[in-house]
């Protein structure tokens, strides 16, 4: 398990809250018939769109303020802008999320929906049905193989998040087939796109690879794609302003470069 002295105070608080929620337990086990995430990525690519997982994130410890819009309206705007999939925060204390929001969003859209939360125990998997569930390698430690198997037993597709090559090797050893590399350091909460570039070359070709955090412009999109990203997970850069337009700008990053369309200048991060 992660040495909490190496985590930023905000991250330690998130992890502590996750463990408290895990201790509450759940009755009943969910069973999911998921929408295929990899197939959705392939369709986006065939249509000339960069596969983007757009994140419905009301707030976070690394952003200012809270967005009060109806999450379903935001989700529908992201899909209208070309999002291949959605990520919905269900962590309540630090991100303003809820399982109710995820249920409402998943009912309203026809794209795969990732549950973004901090799962540290099997009981948390039964909180709500989604198409994809997140497991953070650093948080679950040696429990990763068992949690990965438990999630798959319920029908979930699983995104395993890593931050360095050591975590990548543990994820691969556990059998992960979809891996996200988070560019945000959990100790200082600083973002460095070079994190993805350093880890990506060591990911096998048959693993679906997602770049997470710090992607705020079409140039960032192209940089991550050039480094090997099959898809991108983007939060703040989409949530800040017109979500449909922001999503469209990112999913068209490669197409617009080909036709000479200039980039808009943005400085957002996920």
């Amino acid at each position: 398990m992660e040495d909490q002295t190496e985590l930023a105070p905000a991250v330690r608080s998130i992890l502590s809250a996750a463990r408290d929620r895990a201790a509450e337990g759940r009755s009943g086990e969910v069973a999911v018939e998921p929408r295929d995430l990899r197939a959705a990525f392939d369709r986006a690519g065939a249509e000339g769109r960069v596969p983007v997982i757009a994140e419905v994130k009301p707030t976070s410890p690394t952003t200012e303020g809270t967005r009060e819009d109806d999450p379903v309206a935001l989700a529908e705007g992201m899909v209208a802008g070309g999002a291949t999939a959605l990520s919905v925060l269900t962590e309540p204390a630090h991100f303003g999320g809820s399982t109710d929001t995820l249920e409402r969003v998943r009912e309203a859209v026809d794209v795969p929906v990732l549950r973004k939360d901090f799962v540290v125990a099997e009981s948390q998997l039964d909180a709500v049905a989604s198409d994809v569930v997140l497991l953070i390698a650093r948080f679950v430690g040696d429990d990763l193989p068992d949690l990965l198997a438990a999630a798959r037993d319920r029908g979930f597709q699983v995104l395993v998040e890593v931050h360095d090559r050591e975590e990548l090797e543990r994820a691969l050893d556990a059998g992960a087939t979809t891996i996200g590399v988070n560019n945000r350091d959990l100790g200082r909460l600083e973002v460095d796109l070079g994190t993805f570039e350093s880890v990506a070359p060591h990911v096998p070709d048959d693993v679906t690879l997602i770049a997470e955090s710090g992607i705020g412009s079409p140039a960032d999109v192209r940089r991550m794609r050039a480094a090997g990203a099959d898809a991108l997970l983007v939060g703040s850069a989409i949530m800040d302003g017109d979500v449909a337009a922001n999503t469209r700008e990112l999913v068209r990053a490669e197409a617009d470069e080909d036709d000479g369309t200039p980039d808009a200048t943005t400085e957002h991060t996920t």
Side-chain angles (χ1 to χ4, degrees):
M1 190 66 68
E2 171 69 26
D3 179 358
Q4 290 201 37
T5 62
E6 298 178 359
L7 301 175
V11 179
R12 291 201 298 270
S13 178
I14 291 167
L15 188 53
S16 176
R19 289 172 177 157
D20 288 344
R21 284 183 288 130
E24 296 172 2
R26 294 284 171 182
S27 60
E29 185 174 303
V30 300
V32 181
E33 294 183 5
R35 301 161 185 168
D36 192 320
L37 184 65
R38 181 70 226 197
F41 291 164
D42 290 343
R43 284 194 300 271
E47 295 169 1
R49 291 182 288 123
V50 175
V52 169
I53 304 171
E55 188 159 86
V56 180
K57 181 170 65 171
T59 189
S60 82
T62 58
T63 58
E64 295 182 2
T66 299
R67 184 146 185 180
E68 303 290 350
D69 308 57
D70 178 12
V72 172
L74 292 171
E76 290 174 335
M78 293 169 181
V79 173
T84 300
L86 298 175
S87 170
V88 178
L89 266 296
T90 60
E91 200 281 343
H94 302 82
F95 292 87
S98 72
T99 55
D100 177 67
T101 293
L102 188 147
E103 288 178 334
R104 292 175 56 223
V105 167
R106 189 165 180 248
E107 183 177 345
V109 302
D110 60 1
V111 300
V113 176
L114 162 70
R115 178 188 173 199
K116 184 77 170 291
D117 207 326
F118 303 88
V119 173
V120 294
E122 183 175 346
S123 61
Q124 289 175 278
L125 296 170
D126 298 315
V128 65
S130 62
D131 302 293
V132 191
V133 68
L134 174 72
L135 295 177
I136 300 175
R138 186 167 298 187
F139 285 179
V140 302
D142 293 340
D143 293 333
L144 179 57
D146 289 341
L147 284 173
L148 185 61
R152 287 173 173 164
D153 285 346
R154 289 160 169 80
F156 290 112
Q157 298 161 101
V158 183
L159 169 61
V160 178
E161 179 178 293
V162 305
H163 297 80
D164 55 34
R165 284 187 61 186
E166 179 181 353
E167 291 176 9
L168 170 65
E169 290 306 315
R170 289 201 288 112
L172 294 173
D173 288 345
T177 57
T178 302
I179 288 177
V181 178
N182 195 331
N183 290 308
R184 187 180 299 281
D185 174 82
L186 294 182
R188 297 177 300 278
L189 297 182
E190 296 173 353
V191 171
D192 179 4
L193 297 185
T195 301
F196 182 87
E197 292 169 323
S198 69
V199 175
H202 306 282
V203 177
D205 291 340
D206 60 349
V207 169
T208 300
L209 181 59
I210 300 171
E212 306 174 16
S213 295
I215 301 148
S217 70
D220 292 339
V221 170
R222 293 191 288 269
R223 178 177 171 182
M224 294 293 91
R225 292 279 278 173
D230 295 305
L232 314 168
L233 193 156
V234 185
S236 299
I238 289 176
M239 286 290 290
D240 185 8
D242 184 328
V243 297
N246 291 342
T247 303
R248 189 174 300 111
E249 180 182 36
L250 299 181
V251 303
R252 288 188 51 81
E254 293 175 333
D256 286 347
E257 182 185 39
D258 291 340
D259 66 20
T261 302
D263 289 350
T265 300
T266 60
E267 297 181 352
H268 307 299
T269 59
T270 59

